[in-house]
């Protein structure tokens, strides 16, 4: 059974930074591509960034240059460093496999960017 637990969200002012972390279990973590997704109020869930088991990354254009996804296969975690945050980044952030559909969504972690 796959378990995904997100943490690290909070309230931050525009231009600030947050680091999100996701702990995964129930999968062979090192060979799975992982992604960070987000869902803002009134919008569809979207993929923000993804990282392969070997460390190759891809980013949505809206966050490229500001966010960095990374993973620690020994700790079975995937992080999202979020810099230069904008109000439009406000959303609930989730981690999951990429593509999703193999595991249920976790609770996510709320990120609010507001002055």
């Amino acid at each position: 059974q796959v378990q995904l637990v997100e943490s690290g969200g909070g309230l931050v002012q525009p231009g600030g930074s947050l680091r999100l972390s996701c702990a995964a279990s129930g999968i062979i973590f090192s060979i799975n591509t992982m992604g960070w997704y987000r869902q803002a109020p009134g919008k569809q869930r979207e993929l923000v960034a993804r990282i392969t088991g070997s460390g190759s990354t891809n980013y949505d254009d809206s966050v490229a240059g500001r966010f960095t996804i990374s993973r620690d296969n020994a700790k079975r975690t995937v992080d999202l460093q979020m810099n230069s945050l904008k109000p439009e980044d406000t959303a609930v952030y989730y981690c999951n496999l990429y593509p999703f559909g193999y595991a249920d969504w976790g609770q996510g972690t709320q990120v609010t960017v507001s002055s």
Side-chain angles (χ1 to χ4, degrees):
Q1 184 175 13
V2 181
Q3 295 178 330
L4 302 165
V5 181
E6 302 92 345
S7 63
L11 174 64
V12 65
Q13 293 185 327
S17 298
L18 286 172
R19 188 176 184 91
L20 309 183
S21 186
C22 169
S25 63
I27 59 171
I28 306 175
F29 183 81
S30 62
I31 65 171
N32 277 280
T33 297
M34 300 294 296
W36 277 99
Y37 304 78
R38 68 185 180 188
Q39 187 166 27
K43 294 187 176 181
Q44 296 277 78
R45 182 182 282 115
E46 64 179 355
L47 178 68
V48 175
R50 54 182 164 132
I51 183 168
T52 69
S54 60
S56 180
T57 60
N58 291 94
Y59 299 91
D60 184 80
D61 287 343
S62 66
V63 306
R66 300 187 298 119
F67 291 10
T68 302
I69 189 171
S70 61
R71 68 191 297 156
D72 186 330
N73 288 339
K75 295 182 178 179
R76 301 173 60 84
T77 59
V78 56
D79 288 4
L80 186 69
Q81 178 66 47
M82 309 164 65
N83 298 327
S84 302
L85 284 162
K86 305 175 180 179
E88 65 198 53
D89 296 319
T90 295
V92 178
Y93 284 71
Y94 303 86
C95 65
N96 211 322
L97 302 177
Y98 179 84
F100 68 89
Y102 306 98
D104 292 338
W105 298 98
Q107 290 186 333
T109 185
Q110 176 72 51
V111 172
T112 302
V113 185
S114 177
S115 60

